Amino acid sequence: MSYVDEVIERVIAENPNEPEFHQAVREVLDSLRPVVDANEEAFRRDALLERLVNPERQIKFRVPWIDDKGQVHVNTGYRVQFNSAIGPYKGGLRLHPSVNLGIIKFLGFEQIFKNSLTGLPIGGGKGGSDFDPKGKSDREVMAFCQSFMSELCKYIGADTDVPAGDIGTGAREIGYMFGQYKKLRGVFEGVLTGKGLSYGGSLARTEATGYGLLYIVEEMMKCHGQSLEGKTVVVSGAGNVAIYAIEKAQKLGAKVVTCSDSNGWIYDPEGIDVAALKEIKEVKRQRLTEYKTYRPNAEYHEGKGVWGIKCDIALPCATQNELGLEDAKKLVANGVVAVAEGANMPTTAEATEYLQTNGVYFLPGKAANAGGVATSALEMSQNSERMHWTFEQVDEKLKGIMVNLYHNIDNAAKKYGFEGNYVVGANIAGFEKVVDAMNAQGIV
Ligand code: NDP
């Protein structure tokens, strides 16, 4: 059995009931075969892949908090510090009822390669809790965030581990967590990113993941002799990534006709009204059903459905495994040209393969949504030098990072004979830097 297959088998046996983690490991290791097979003896001797798939540290803790009626609740908190070969652990905190150790491990594992691809000195980590901020009062969210940080603060710091936002963790949650960290540790430092502008946040961080997604799609289309001008785009999600992906796509001349949340989806043939979407989701924290009060001609449908709408470009920006094989078939039948993942692992393995074999340009999340973490690293730089850069400065750096990233993964794919396969390109390019750093630092 090949070394790659051996390690995949062991990961499945040793981490039972963690299907998302198995999926992420399989996807990465499968595409690393050309590199691993060429160095099999040395990698096996050094247990390189075992060291890569085992987190350096995983922390699981109790998070008790009191609701507005005086009832005590207990959630579970996680922080997986996966790999610090190229810098302090960096990765978001997900607050969603579906969160479990396997999901945090899949996200942390992906994060290693994504962070490496940004070209910036950040290692991989991820955390979160099964707490659901939806429907909670501000005071309840604060109580949870304070309790969560009371434990987490023992393990993080500006030079060790710098968490950020993710699903369910936006500016409000980061603010409460930062306040609690500062109170307990007595230091004002860049321990979290995605902070508010009045206390060390970076301009353009809110927009970064969605904007970055469009910068890399634009570069890819340009390299294939196409542009975004006049293209029809479908987007899933209506959160941080989706909103700013829609905004930038429309600024670049495309028409975005869908968005969704976990209850339903919108089809607006005239193009999504971003100002209305921001008001519903960012200001009023409402459901998408409200969209029709702003745009009576738009359609609201319960359940899933955006992938059935005819489009040139599809951008899944909600959550993992939201685009399956049947969805991919509909997209191909409707003539889709490109799919780029704003979310982490939104496309199943079968759907990815179907899209690629049908000639669709497919950009995996670890490359396509790396703009968020890249800008978080820029926030860390600004915190370290106690400076603020302008929106334009940050946005320009973000664009430069995404354009470089595209060429980096494109070149890696070409170098190993997989031209146009950006999944292979991203995994290999991300892996090479991490392995180089791990080898240089010895067996630790
Ligand atoms: P938000 O919480 O802001 O938004 C998530 C959106 O996806 C919401 O519209 C939400 O709907 C929907 N959603 C979440 N879970 C599900 C589900 N199980 N089924 C259907 N819809 C769902 O999160 P973000 O926009 O920040 O994150 C979206 C994705 O992008 C995630 O995969 C995240 O890991 C990834 N990502 C985020 C980055 C960032 O900077 N924010 C950076 C890189 C990746 P509802 O409100 O109804 O739950």
Side-chain angles (χ1 to χ4, degrees):
M1 192 188 288
S2 78
Y3 180 39
V4 164
D5 289 320
E6 241 174 61
V7 173
I8 293 176
E9 230 174 57
R10 207 167 321 150
V11 164
I12 294 169
E14 289 172 2
N15 302 270
N17 307 317
E18 296 181 0
E20 292 86 357
F21 181 51
H22 305 165
Q23 185 184 342
V25 168
R26 192 193 302 275
E27 186 252 317
V28 170
L29 295 196
D30 263 343
S31 58
L32 292 179
R33 283 180 199 275
V35 186
V36 177
D37 291 352
N39 299 280
E40 183 155 324
E41 206 180 315
F43 281 7
R44 197 195 286 268
R45 181 198 62 214
D46 294 344
L48 188 89
L49 295 183
E50 287 87 339
R51 286 189 286 137
L52 199 68
V53 298
N54 278 292
E56 290 175 16
R57 188 174 302 104
Q58 47 192 45
I59 302 147
K60 182 176 173 192
F61 51 97
R62 181 178 78 189
V63 190
W65 59 278
I66 305 173
D67 73 16
D68 289 345
K69 297 193 183 94
Q71 176 66 49
V72 176
H73 297 263
V74 179
N75 286 101
T76 305
Y78 302 92
R79 185 72 183 163
V80 174
Q81 298 180 329
F82 225 117
N83 190 304
S84 62
I86 63 173
Y89 310 104
K90 182 95 198 80
L93 297 171
R94 177 171 293 191
L95 300 182
H96 193 273
S98 63
V99 163
N100 57 40
L101 184 61
I103 287 186
I104 298 299
K105 278 162 70 180
F106 120 63
L107 291 162
F109 185 66
E110 286 279 296
Q111 197 83 42
I112 304 168
F113 307 98
K114 180 191 308 194
N115 292 2
S116 167
L117 285 174
T118 65
L120 301 168
I122 38 179
K126 197 82 188 187
S129 172
D130 55 359
F131 172 78
D132 188 358
K134 249 182 267 156
K136 305 287 190 303
S137 70
D138 280 353
R139 197 212 58 81
E140 289 173 332
V141 170
M142 181 171 76
F144 168 83
C145 290
Q146 290 179 340
S147 179
F148 181 78
M149 185 51 84
S150 296
E151 185 60 25
L152 187 67
C153 75
K154 298 168 189 167
Y155 309 100
I156 61 175
D159 293 317
T160 48
D161 184 355
V162 183
D166 190 72
I167 291 180
T169 307
R172 173 182 61 172
E173 291 76 16
I174 291 288
Y176 292 146
M177 290 182 196
F178 184 79
Q180 184 73 350
Y181 179 89
K182 183 162 62 74
K183 182 179 171 91
L184 293 175
R185 297 286 297 265
V187 280
F188 192 112
E189 59 174 5
V191 66
L192 291 163
T193 57
K195 298 187 291 298
L197 294 178
S198 55
Y199 63 97
S202 173
L203 286 162
R205 174 60 188 93
T206 307
E207 294 82 357
T209 309
Y211 278 22
L213 174 65
L214 268 296
Y215 291 145
I216 193 168
V217 169
E218 186 187 29
E219 185 66 15
M220 176 181 73
M221 297 292 277
K222 199 171 94 190
C223 292
H224 289 284
Q226 300 195 41
S227 84
L228 284 159
E229 189 70 45
K231 296 284 187 296
T232 300
V233 178
V234 299
V235 168
S236 65
N240 174 258
V241 180
I243 289 173
Y244 293 94
I246 296 171
E247 181 170 277
K248 183 53 83 176
Q250 296 191 337
K251 277 190 189 152
L252 293 172
K255 183 160 78 168
V256 183
V257 293
T258 66
C259 63
S260 65
D261 63 17
S262 41
N263 297 107
W265 58 285
I266 294 288
Y267 174 55
D268 188 341
E270 287 156 25
I272 295 288
D273 179 342
V274 181
L277 190 60
K278 284 185 184 175
E279 177 145 329
I280 294 165
K281 287 294 176 186
E282 295 184 335
V283 182
K284 297 185 174 161
R285 296 179 187 275
Q286 292 171 326
R287 311 306 300 160
L288 272 183
T289 38
E290 295 303 314
Y291 187 82
K292 271 182 79 69
T293 59
Y294 296 81
R295 303 272 280 196
N297 291 337
E299 296 170 17
Y300 175 79
H301 301 271
E302 289 287 329
K304 279 187 64 171
V306 299
W307 314 125
I309 298 292
K310 186 173 169 50
C311 66
D312 303 300
I313 298 171
L315 304 175
C317 296
T319 193
Q320 63 273 5
N321 294 327
E322 53 161 318
L323 197 167
L325 182 58
E326 291 311 310
D327 303 315
K329 285 183 179 167
K330 284 182 211 154
L331 286 168
V332 169
N334 280 329
V336 74
V337 175
V339 175
E341 298 185 320
N344 284 312
M345 209 169 72
T347 318
T348 63
E350 302 77 40
T352 303
E353 200 187 327
Y354 187 82
L355 293 168
Q356 288 180 316
T357 50
N358 281 280
V360 177
Y361 307 137
F362 180 83
L363 281 171
K366 64 173 70 68
N369 69 35
V373 74
T375 308
S376 277
L378 300 179
E379 183 174 330
M380 289 164 72
S381 301
Q382 293 169 78
N383 292 163
S384 297
E385 60 176 28
R386 304 209 187 287
M387 292 286 284
H388 258 308
W389 303 340
T390 64
F391 188 97
E392 290 69 27
Q393 281 174 305
V394 179
D395 191 37
E396 198 184 310
K397 285 184 203 292
L398 168 65
K399 189 166 183 181
I401 288 168
M402 298 312 291
V403 167
N404 279 340
L405 200 161
Y406 172 75
H407 290 286
N408 193 3
I409 66 173
D410 187 40
N411 290 336
K414 284 179 183 150
K415 181 174 153 193
Y416 286 92
F418 289 87
E419 181 161 0
N421 187 334
Y422 304 118
V423 174
V424 170
N427 286 329
I428 292 181
F431 173 78
E432 284 186 330
K433 182 173 168 190
V434 174
V435 166
D436 189 60
M438 284 173 74
N439 283 338
Q441 293 170 31
I443 306 300
V444 289

